Amino acid sequence: MAYFWRIRHSHQKDSSGGEISPVQCVGRTPNSGSELVLSEDEKSDNEDKEETELGVMEDQRSIILHLISQLKLGMDLTKVVLPTFILEKRSLLEMYADFMAHPDLLLAITAGATPEERVICFVEYYLTAFHEGRKGALAKKPYNPIIGETFHCSWEVPKDRVKPKRTASRSPASCHEHPMADDPSKSYKLRFVAEQVSHHPPISCFYCECKEKRLCVNTHVWTKSKFMGMSVGVSMIGEGVLRLLEHGEEYVFTLPSAYARSILTIPWVELGGKVSINCAKTGYSATVIFHTKPFYGGKVHRVTAEVKHNPTNTIVCKAHGEWNGTLEFTYNNGETKVIDTTTLPVYPKKIRPLEKQGPMESRNLWREVTRYLRLGDIDAATEQKRHLEEKQRVEERKRENLRTPWKPKYFIQEGDGWVYFNPLWKAH
């Protein structure tokens, strides 16, 4: 307790005189020194977003066939080394940040006038979050984060774009538009930090907060993959909690599974499974079903949702459509709204350049693997990846010999979950 008291009361100022947020600090944590992540160092992200959408090459197909010949149906792939050419040029930790590409919708939740409006706003945000995180239909695999790896970024959201518009359609905007405020004082700041806290099982945590809106999200996810013949399934085990401190509300949510299909030809990805969103205080809950494509016929990427007020057993909203296309919402008053995810404005991450990143920050850690993948030198990328993973194994053996458990920088284990070390709901 003394440690946390010291963190919360040792406020520092940045060069502009503003207070440094806990999310900005690399180092004011159990395992580190005094290095700071200053938001003034962050620049708009200009990384290439799209993956090259090519089918599997003939030599690559033979490698996959050889790998498949050694696998059994239902086999856990967590410890199986997959070929480097299927990698996506970003870490899983950064992929979680890309789910936040519409922060205006997230921040608008707390502006909802009633509990019903707020839960519906959250469902709208949730359903629009996945398309940008996936980076197109091509099924490529993000880097498996190294234990201790972190990822930091932020978004600036113009205040005039954060409005709860339940039945009014949003102003048209191109998905290539990058909404930015000229004056930072006219923007809300949303900060994000992710960390790989465990290697076996592979557990990732992420936390984001907007102090001005008194809103934060804390999530822990354990990915478990299995072989399914011509597909690979990845379960996202764990949960997240959205907290709206202004209203004293907590929304507990789960995540869908992902499936890589047609792994020998042109691999593509789909989401599947039933997820839940629950707010115990208000009695509202939502069930969201990501429908996998039937074997014969049927549409891909379908999703349906239902929002219910449990004390009265009343359905207050239904939704259907495609999670990477058009979604239609119908409210219990008969009104409807359509959201086209392909035209929603995408807010670029703000991230520090590589030379200002620490050695365990995702882009810096994986920079050589990414460089060689961009050059198309798969052998060199594989060697760099092997070097990182071998270093992780050596350090893990050292800890086992010394019986020293790994101590994460930013997250603390509480029961079955993990919580950010200085969350908004505990801050003074």
Side-chain angles (χ1 to χ4, degrees):
M1 289 301 293
Y3 173 76
F4 283 99
W5 186 92
R6 187 166 66 252
I7 289 171
R8 293 179 192 139
H9 291 77
S10 60
H11 299 303
Q12 296 188 22
K13 305 288 183 180
D14 63 21
S15 59
S16 64
E19 193 172 291
I20 297 168
S21 160
V23 178
Q24 291 173 277
C25 300
V26 175
R28 200 168 308 135
T29 50
N31 282 345
S32 54
S34 58
E35 182 189 355
L36 297 177
V37 174
L38 295 175
S39 59
E40 67 188 30
D41 292 333
E42 293 177 333
K43 311 292 183 187
S44 288
D45 185 25
N46 57 5
E47 286 278 317
D48 181 23
K49 298 295 189 297
E50 294 298 322
E51 292 289 330
T52 307
E53 302 228 0
L54 298 174
V56 177
M57 307 298 285
E58 195 58 45
D59 57 336
Q60 297 174 348
R61 184 178 291 111
S62 64
I63 294 171
I64 294 175
L65 278 169
H66 176 69
L67 181 64
I68 287 174
S69 70
Q70 301 174 63
L71 303 178
K72 296 178 181 178
L73 282 176
M75 184 175 176
D76 182 1
L77 299 180
T78 304
K79 297 183 181 180
V80 175
V81 178
L82 298 174
T84 304
F85 58 75
I86 70 167
L87 294 178
E88 194 183 313
K89 299 197 289 285
R90 63 172 173 168
S91 172
L92 181 64
L93 299 185
E94 182 169 355
M95 189 188 84
Y96 291 135
D98 289 330
F99 286 143
M100 316 293 291
H102 305 307
D104 54 332
L105 298 182
L106 176 65
L107 297 182
I109 297 169
T110 196
T114 63
E116 179 179 317
E117 189 168 333
R118 289 191 290 275
V119 71
I120 290 173
C121 283
F122 183 35
V123 172
E124 290 178 358
Y125 164 74
Y126 185 95
L127 292 178
T128 59
F130 294 97
H131 78 104
E132 184 63 19
R134 276 310 322 151
K135 301 293 183 199
L138 187 68
K140 286 203 167 186
K141 181 182 178 300
Y143 307 140
N144 285 335
I146 302 294
I147 191 167
E149 179 182 335
T150 62
F151 183 81
H152 302 260
C153 67
S154 66
W155 295 264
E156 286 183 1
V157 186
K159 291 181 179 179
D160 60 3
R161 287 182 175 264
V162 180
K163 299 170 184 174
K165 296 183 179 180
R166 184 171 123 168
T167 54
S169 60
R170 303 182 71 83
S171 57
S174 164
C175 63
H176 300 293
E177 177 188 353
H178 289 170
M180 302 291 285
D182 297 328
D183 181 355
S185 67
K186 295 180 181 177
S187 288
Y188 294 116
K189 186 90 166 181
L190 184 68
R191 297 186 174 93
F192 177 98
V193 60
E195 180 178 11
Q196 191 72 5
V197 298
S198 172
H199 182 45
H200 294 303
I203 300 174
S204 307
C205 299
F206 65 86
Y207 173 83
C208 66
E209 69 174 30
C210 177
K211 281 190 170 182
E212 278 192 273
K213 298 295 282 182
R214 300 188 66 212
L215 170 153
C216 61
V217 179
N218 190 103
T219 304
H220 65 276
V221 185
W222 166 22
T223 55
K224 189 172 185 179
S225 52
K226 65 179 179 179
F227 178 60
M228 303 167 63
M230 290 297 102
S231 301
V232 173
V234 182
S235 299
M236 310 282 271
I237 303 163
E239 65 180 27
V241 182
L242 166 70
R243 287 176 171 87
L244 308 180
L245 303 185
E246 181 182 341
H247 306 288
E249 294 170 358
E250 297 183 2
Y251 297 80
V252 181
F253 61 92
T254 55
L255 296 166
S257 297
Y259 299 91
R261 308 294 194 192
S262 306
I263 57 178
L264 280 179
T265 53
I266 300 178
W268 57 282
V269 69
E270 67 173 340
L271 302 179
K274 180 187 288 189
V275 301
S276 61
I277 298 168
N278 290 289
C279 181
K281 178 180 177 180
T282 64
Y284 283 96
S285 67
T287 300
V288 180
I289 301 175
F290 292 86
H291 301 268
T292 55
K293 184 182 181 300
F295 193 75
Y296 292 108
K299 293 183 178 180
V300 294
H301 310 311
R302 284 184 58 239
V303 63
T304 56
E306 193 174 87
V307 183
K308 181 186 284 189
H309 183 240
N310 295 298
T312 59
N313 202 32
T314 305
I315 295 171
V316 298
C317 175
K318 287 187 175 183
H320 70 275
E322 294 83 41
W323 56 265
N324 59 354
T326 301
L327 297 158
E328 182 174 336
F329 296 82
T330 304
Y331 309 104
N332 60 353
N333 63 1
E335 293 176 333
T336 62
K337 180 171 79 170
V338 173
I339 296 177
D340 184 349
T341 65
T342 65
T343 62
L344 288 175
V346 172
Y347 290 72
K349 301 188 294 288
K350 296 194 76 176
I351 184 168
R352 286 164 304 122
L354 287 175
E355 62 270 17
K356 294 199 175 184
Q357 292 186 23
M360 291 302 291
E361 293 188 59
S362 295
R363 287 196 182 174
N364 200 14
L365 181 68
W366 294 96
R367 65 191 300 173
E368 290 302 302
V369 179
T370 301
R371 183 168 75 88
Y372 284 118
L373 283 175
R374 286 204 176 110
L375 292 171
D377 191 337
I378 301 301
D379 290 341
T382 300
E383 179 57 28
Q384 291 294 327
K385 174 173 172 285
R386 188 200 62 76
H387 172 72
L388 287 175
E389 291 168 343
E390 180 56 30
K391 184 180 177 185
Q392 177 177 229
R393 284 189 284 269
V394 168
E395 291 174 353
E396 189 171 20
R397 285 194 293 269
K398 282 182 183 177
R399 288 193 299 273
E400 286 176 358
N401 291 337
L402 295 171
R403 296 183 179 177
T404 305
W406 174 258
K407 194 172 185 180
K409 292 179 82 171
Y410 297 108
F411 292 86
I412 298 164
Q413 190 165 15
E414 290 189 2
D416 294 332
W418 292 79
V419 176
Y420 183 65
F421 81 99
N422 191 26
L424 204 54
W425 69 87
K426 290 183 180 178
H428 292 293

